[in-house]
Amino acid sequence: MSQGEENYWDNFYSFIEKTDNKMPPSQFAAFCRLELVHLNINQLIEIAAGEGRDSIFFASQGIQTIALDKSSEAVNFLKKRISHNKNVLILKIDAVNEDLPTPKFKDQACAYYARFFLHTLEENHLIKFFEKLSSSMKKNDVFFTEYRDDNDENLDKTMPDHFRKFYTSHFVNKLANQNRMKCIYEISGKGFAKWGIEDAFVTRQVFIKE
């Protein structure tokens, strides 16, 4: 991520803090919550948590949550907003260049969660991220991800001013397989991440570490 991109996101989260915009959880978070019940997983690490809407939701559901972001503004905002919740730990971590934290319960399965993160990465950074992620996961850990795929590239954007890279679900699946992760669920389409007038074309995937 370039310095300009980092400044963009710092300014964005600074604006969010000033407006105190308490967003409800994403549709993807609600979907993953039910999957966590089925998988009997009660701890989650959110990568690039942003303003924290999904981390707040997971923690409110009693899930031990670690919220990560590389933006200082996002981390400071999250600490002010949800540090009182005993189910949440907030850390400033660059998930591409730094090691991911150890889950609270080392002997239990953990879910890793990244919504609208993969498409913010250049290809070399995406490859590096999967390597970092895989090295942090143990057998039977899962990775939930939702991202704008190649079908979204030419659609109108509500916020067009920042970098996006549009990958095919096949390419993401290939990277996961190369890092010993197997896809156990996949769906693509519109209607999963509608926001105002924008209806992004996204892919949802769930991977399990083999």
Side-chain angles (χ1 to χ4, degrees), residues 5-18:
E5 279 291 297
E6 289 189 29
N7 291 338
Y8 173 91
W9 288 112
D10 281 345
N11 291 334
F12 175 80
Y13 295 125
S14 178
F15 171 77
I16 290 292
E17 179 176 3
K18 291 174 183 176

Side-chain angles (χ1 to χ4, degrees), residues 99-180:
D99 292 336
L100 301 182
T102 302
K104 181 175 182 178
F105 306 116
K106 298 179 183 179
D107 59 339
Q108 298 179 21
C110 180
Y112 293 78
Y113 177 94
R115 179 180 183 271
F116 276 35
F117 174 63
L118 301 192
H119 62 245
T120 70
L121 302 177
E122 294 277 10
E123 185 173 323
N124 61 322
H125 290 162
L126 182 64
I127 292 169
K128 191 174 181 179
F129 166 70
F130 266 101
E131 292 171 350
K132 284 282 187 183
L133 176 64
S134 179
S135 67
S136 298
M137 298 174 76
K138 60 185 180 298
K139 186 176 180 179
N140 294 326
D141 283 352
V142 296
F143 175 47
F144 295 105
T145 187
E146 180 178 76
Y147 54 92
R148 296 176 185 267
D149 64 25
D150 57 313
N151 295 290
D152 191 67
E153 184 169 6
N154 296 317
L155 299 183
D156 291 337
K157 308 291 187 295
T158 301
M159 298 171 58
D161 299 329
H162 62 89
F163 173 83
R164 298 181 180 97
K165 182 80 171 178
F166 301 92
Y167 299 103
T168 67
S169 59
H170 174 76
F171 180 70
V172 173
N173 189 47
K174 179 181 176 182
L175 285 182
N177 289 342
Q178 290 172 349
N179 288 279
R180 294 175 292 145

Side-chain angles (χ1 to χ4, degrees), residues 25-80:
S26 66
Q27 293 181 37
F28 186 53
F31 162 80
C32 291
R33 176 65 184 106
L34 187 58
E35 293 301 302
L36 290 172
V37 172
H38 293 157
L39 292 165
N40 195 30
I41 294 176
N42 196 46
Q43 57 181 347
L44 177 143
I45 296 175
E46 180 174 9
I47 297 155
E51 82 281 8
R53 58 188 291 204
D54 290 349
S55 285
I56 290 169
F57 168 69
F58 290 125
S60 74
Q61 296 285 301
I63 297 171
Q64 292 295 325
T65 304
I66 302 178
L68 314 178
D69 206 283
K70 68 178 293 184
S71 166
S72 298
E73 291 291 340
V75 168
N76 292 336
F77 175 48
L78 277 170
K79 286 182 176 179
K80 292 176 184 177

